[in-house]
Amino acid sequence: MGLDLRNVMRNFATGVCVVSTYVDTPEGRRHDAVTVNSLTSVSLEPPLVSVCLRRDSDFLADLQATGVWAVSILDTGADDVAQSLAGDRENRAAALSTLPASPGESTGALVLDSLGWLECALRDKIDAGDHTVAIGEVLATGSQDRRCPLISLRGRYYTTGERRPAAPVADQALSRTSTESATVGGIMFESRAARGARATPDGAGMRSALEEAARIVGPDRILRPGESDSAPGLLGPNTSMFRSRRTVGVIRPSTTGQVRRVVEVYGRTAEAGSLHAISTGRNWGLGSHEPAQDDMAVLDLGGLDQVRDIDLEGGWAVVEPGVTQGRLSQLLDGTTRMLNVTVSAAATSVIGNTLDRGVGLRHERVDDLAGLEVVLPSGELVHLGWWPDPGRPTPVYPHGLGPSLLPLFVQSNLGVVTAAAIRLQPRPEALRLVRLSFPPVALADAVTELRRWVSGGLTRGVPRVFDPAAARWYGGTGEEFLVHICVDGTAEVVDALVAAVTNEARRSGLFTDASHTDATDPAHPNHEMAVLVERGYAGDPDLADTLFEAKMGQPADKVDEHVGFLFFLPLLPFSGYAVTQADGLLERVRAQTGARCSATLHILGPDLIDCVVAVKFDRQDEEAQRAHRALDLLYRLFAEAGFAPYRLDVDHAHLMDEFSADARALALTRQLKAVIDPNNAIAPGRYR
């Protein structure tokens, strides 16, 4: 009967929560937490809940001794947390030390960053068979209703979407992965597997796929982990000191044809495992070359490094993933066209940064995307958006007729991009940098004034605002905010705009300095820096990486090994109130963690700001832990304020669900994934 009861109850879907308590010992307070799905609301008046725990568990003994406990209700994406706290005490303690948690004010038991939480005092206990039902009086509660709950069903973890009507096409797609998802009462339950981490592929299948890939690209273009089945250090260190994922191997194709054949191998069967594609692997601050999950083969596309075509008249170039912004800019040097470059190193990939929605000095780089060449998991090659056709030349128009598929492959794991058509900007006849400073007390008013200028068309490109910490790298005093404003056009237009901006700055009384001759006056202390910044706005990256190395302290090829660096990238409304609020949150993070944080605001138009928060740290355990605590706190505080990130690092990829605007839209993308990539061949866990 016991076996039958277990099997029957597996069909009863429940929520998942973590129950925490502690015990005071001579060595200090020892916290503990376990995963349970037996939470029950017993009474509203008085407020009572219960959990059911094994009678012989050490955790229950601690709970009874202390008499208090807390419950954290887990949300989607927290399945890793649930699994890590389902083991023995030693493993639970190790996992608990890494989780964002704080003692509850009413009990002192740890409360996790979760969907909802309760603090309870033990009121009664009832022994029932091999378990004990602990009944607690609820002392305090809290919730965050914006997220979906984690569900336990049939021995697996699921997430839920909102209720939706039956959709025949979607139902057909879901039927292909019926073991990975289920629809109950109009609610789709989607498993961890369907969200990007399917059942562990067969080890023999993964080795077989890697051998087949070696036959395609050549044995000298495969990196293997060595003696062990998989190794975390195969890719080398990453600058953020994120956990190195176990890697099956690294595959380095040199042609699109090889990519097609390799992808087809991995798309053929789930047993082959999955591929994580990188361009140059320099996604610094967000994971560098690291996959989001373990046990994947890395598809290194750096060997696809051809500039296939450039058309100056039409304003486009077709490039492969290994083409860097330095190389393409050199080819455009002296022409009427320029590339929208970033302030990162010259040796960073144009395609890689564009597909992850990087921001250039002229505008968001995704706006430069005219078309893509994509290898689908089946090995099929497709061209999306606009693509050059020598037999039928057409103007560059990325949207085409009918539904536009181009955006589906930005921040996407639906295919592997092997080339992109990139728009080239007209090179301005003249350009000048206006440099402004203002004190912290003027932050709200200065931002409001800047918005008026941007709305009025006085600026070009992306104006940038550096907080005092970030301003140091650009000649700032470290006490004031610094602003860079680009103006360009004909010489006459530039003169007029410079005069307008500097006059407005002086008239406002908010700015302590307004200069526009830094780049033209060799005697100016900021001359060299201003020249490099102006060149960046004009599409010429600093090929010597002078500013980059000054900020990072190392050349580009040494960053991952010697520099400690994290990025957090939220979006803010363009308002003085929002920017002041964000600045206060950043100060709160500094105070609570002691981490070195700086912020640069990229103004993306009259309504939107990209807030680039950089956390630098020495590559030592204590310093790194402090930086990562700061990163976790940044995600939590900014989310609570409504400032969602537009890019995620590999250790926070699970937050995709939390920041989705509509659960049904997220479910739709996963249904598309199930149709296009039924064997999960491409980058599970990354923007899943």
Side-chain angles (χ1 to χ4, degrees):
M1 180 61 187
L3 181 60
D4 289 337
L5 177 61
R6 180 188 296 273
N7 286 336
V8 170
M9 294 308 296
R10 281 165 55 87
N11 294 295
F12 182 62
T14 70
V16 185
C17 61
V18 169
V19 178
S20 60
T21 191
Y22 60 86
V23 64
D24 289 321
T25 71
E27 291 76 28
R29 178 163 291 185
R30 184 186 68 210
H31 288 279
D32 196 3
V34 296
T35 302
V36 303
N37 63 349
S38 58
L39 176 68
T40 302
S41 175
V42 176
S43 168
L44 294 180
E45 188 56 46
L48 302 175
V49 297
S50 71
V51 292
C52 196
L53 302 164
R54 288 191 63 87
R55 291 179 65 180
D56 59 356
S57 71
D58 294 334
F59 180 86
L60 177 61
D62 288 351
L63 187 153
Q64 292 180 121
T66 304
V68 294
W69 39 289
V71 178
S72 300
I73 301 172
L74 300 185
D75 57 89
T76 181
D79 34 9
D80 289 338
V81 175
Q83 289 175 339
S84 68
L85 295 177
D88 58 31
R89 169 166 277 179
E90 182 178 352
N91 289 328
R92 295 199 307 266
L96 193 59
S97 67
T98 67
L99 297 177
S102 57
E105 294 182 0
S106 299
T107 62
L110 291 179
V111 174
L112 276 61
D113 181 19
S114 59
L115 183 63
W117 52 265
L118 312 166
E119 289 188 79
C120 306
L122 183 62
R123 177 158 173 163
D124 199 358
K125 65 183 182 71
I126 302 171
D127 291 335
D130 54 8
H131 279 64
T132 294
V133 180
I135 300 173
E137 181 174 357
V138 180
L139 306 177
T141 65
S143 65
Q144 302 181 86
D145 293 332
R146 65 181 180 277
R147 297 186 281 195
C148 297
L150 187 66
I151 300 297
S152 175
L153 176 65
R154 298 169 186 159
R156 306 184 71 169
Y157 292 126
Y158 292 76
T159 183
T160 64
E162 294 182 14
R163 287 186 175 270
R164 56 181 177 85
V169 174
D171 288 345
Q172 292 173 14
L174 288 172
S175 69
R176 295 190 179 190
T177 56
S178 59
T179 60
E180 310 298 345
S181 57
T183 302
V184 181
I187 299 180
M188 185 178 73
F189 291 83
E190 188 176 53
S191 73
R192 174 186 173 93
R195 287 183 288 117
R198 294 181 183 271
T200 303
D202 178 73
M206 291 190 290
R207 288 190 292 271
S208 176
L210 191 64
E211 290 303 321
E212 192 167 351
R215 290 192 290 272
I216 293 169
V217 304
D220 60 328
R221 299 194 67 81
I222 297 283
L223 295 179
R224 303 173 190 274
E227 298 299 324
S228 61
D229 287 338
S230 58
L234 190 59
L235 296 172
N238 67 82
T239 185
S240 300
M241 294 186 70
F242 291 127
R243 178 181 65 83
S244 292
R245 273 59 173 174
R246 294 190 309 270
T247 305
V248 175
V250 179
I251 306 166
R252 299 180 295 180
S254 56
T255 68
T256 299
Q258 290 180 353
V259 175
R260 293 183 65 180
R261 293 170 62 195
V262 169
V263 171
E264 192 275 330
V265 168
Y266 282 83
R268 190 186 303 153
T269 172
E271 285 72 23
S274 304
L275 293 167
H276 170 72
I278 62 174
S279 48
T280 60
R282 287 172 169 162
N283 195 20
W284 291 312
L286 299 173
S288 298
H289 38 244
E290 291 289 343
Q293 295 181 355
D294 288 316
D295 302 322
M296 282 194 271
V298 173
L299 188 64
D300 184 348
L301 302 177
L304 276 70
D305 59 359
Q306 298 302 303
V307 178
R308 296 186 186 176
D309 200 359
I310 295 178
D311 187 323
L312 298 178
E313 180 64 27
W316 53 266
V318 176
V319 300
E320 294 180 342
V323 175
T324 65
Q325 65 172 357
R327 182 178 170 206
L328 183 54
S329 297
Q330 280 184 298
L331 293 175
L332 296 170
D333 188 31
T335 73
T336 58
R337 295 284 181 169
M338 68 176 187
L339 177 67
N340 174 28
V341 303
T342 74
V343 297
S344 190
T348 52
S349 168
V350 175
I351 287 182
N353 185 257
T354 300
L355 292 181
D356 206 34
R357 297 201 176 103
V359 173
L361 286 171
R362 305 303 303 193
H363 46 247
E364 295 174 86
R365 270 187 150 179
V366 73
D367 294 339
D368 298 321
L369 197 58
L372 289 174
E373 178 181 271
V374 180
V375 177
L376 298 178
S378 63
E380 180 184 1
L381 187 74
V382 296
H383 292 106
L384 307 171
W386 177 88
W387 201 255
D389 182 351
R392 189 171 61 89
T394 57
V396 178
Y397 181 69
H399 310 295
L401 290 170
S404 177
L405 299 178
L406 193 62
L408 280 177
F409 291 85
V410 175
Q411 284 190 354
S412 169
N413 61 0
L414 297 179
V416 174
V417 173
T418 52
I422 300 293
R423 287 172 163 173
L424 304 175
Q425 307 301 309
R427 195 179 297 274
E429 294 181 20
L431 183 148
R432 206 172 307 167
L433 178 71
V434 179
R435 187 173 182 273
L436 308 168
S437 300
F438 63 87
V441 294
L443 178 59
D445 291 337
V447 169
T448 300
E449 185 70 8
L450 289 171
R451 186 181 189 187
R452 188 173 72 86
W453 302 351
V454 172
S455 300
L458 298 185
T459 66
R460 300 289 188 268
V462 176
R464 305 173 75 209
V465 181
F466 308 89
D467 75 358
R472 291 180 183 273
W473 305 112
Y474 292 89
T477 64
E479 303 295 329
E480 292 191 313
F481 284 78
L482 175 66
V483 184
H484 282 174
I485 290 178
C486 169
V487 295
D488 64 26
T490 64
E492 292 80 5
V493 167
V494 168
D495 287 341
L497 288 174
V498 166
V501 170
T502 53
N503 287 339
E504 290 290 339
R506 294 188 181 101
R507 186 180 300 117
S508 72
L510 299 169
F511 300 92
T512 57
D513 182 44
S515 172
H516 59 86
T517 60
D518 301 25
T520 56
D521 180 7
H524 196 284
N526 293 319
H527 172 71
E528 182 180 358
M529 179 276 302
V531 169
L532 292 173
V533 173
E534 283 194 359
R535 284 179 53 194
Y537 275 109
D540 297 321
D542 175 17
L543 297 177
D545 285 340
T546 305
L547 284 177
F548 178 83
E549 290 189 18
K551 289 187 289 185
M552 304 302 287
Q554 293 286 339
D557 60 352
K558 301 295 184 184
V559 167
D560 278 311
E561 183 179 359
H562 296 294
V563 178
F565 181 72
L566 293 163
F567 260 151
F568 174 64
L569 302 167
L571 294 171
L572 310 178
F574 194 171
S575 74
Y577 174 78
V579 171
T580 302
Q581 186 180 8
D583 184 62
L585 294 177
L586 194 59
E587 185 56 41
R588 182 174 164 187
V589 170
R590 292 191 190 102
Q592 290 189 21
T593 66
R596 292 176 287 156
C597 305
S598 63
T600 301
L601 308 180
H602 293 161
I603 297 174
L604 302 181
D607 302 307
L608 185 65
I609 288 176
D610 157 33
C611 178
V612 179
V613 179
V615 184
K616 291 197 69 178
F617 59 93
D618 295 330
R619 295 178 67 89
Q620 300 162 354
D621 287 344
E622 183 177 350
E623 184 86 358
Q625 290 172 8
R626 182 184 298 120
H628 281 264
R629 286 197 300 272
L631 182 63
D632 290 337
L633 188 58
L634 285 165
Y635 272 100
R636 181 169 68 83
L637 294 179
F638 276 70
E640 290 172 353
F643 303 146
Y646 68 99
R647 296 170 71 182
L648 295 174
D649 61 73
V650 293
D651 272 13
H652 292 86
H654 62 278
L655 295 180
M656 179 78 176
D657 293 46
E658 175 180 342
F659 293 113
S660 175
D662 189 327
R664 289 170 294 188
L666 193 61
L668 176 60
T669 64
R670 289 170 179 163
Q671 292 168 30
L672 291 172
K673 173 72 170 175
V675 173
I676 296 172
D677 188 12
N679 291 318
N680 228 22
I682 310 298
R686 189 67 175 144
Y687 295 116
R688 57 193 183 192

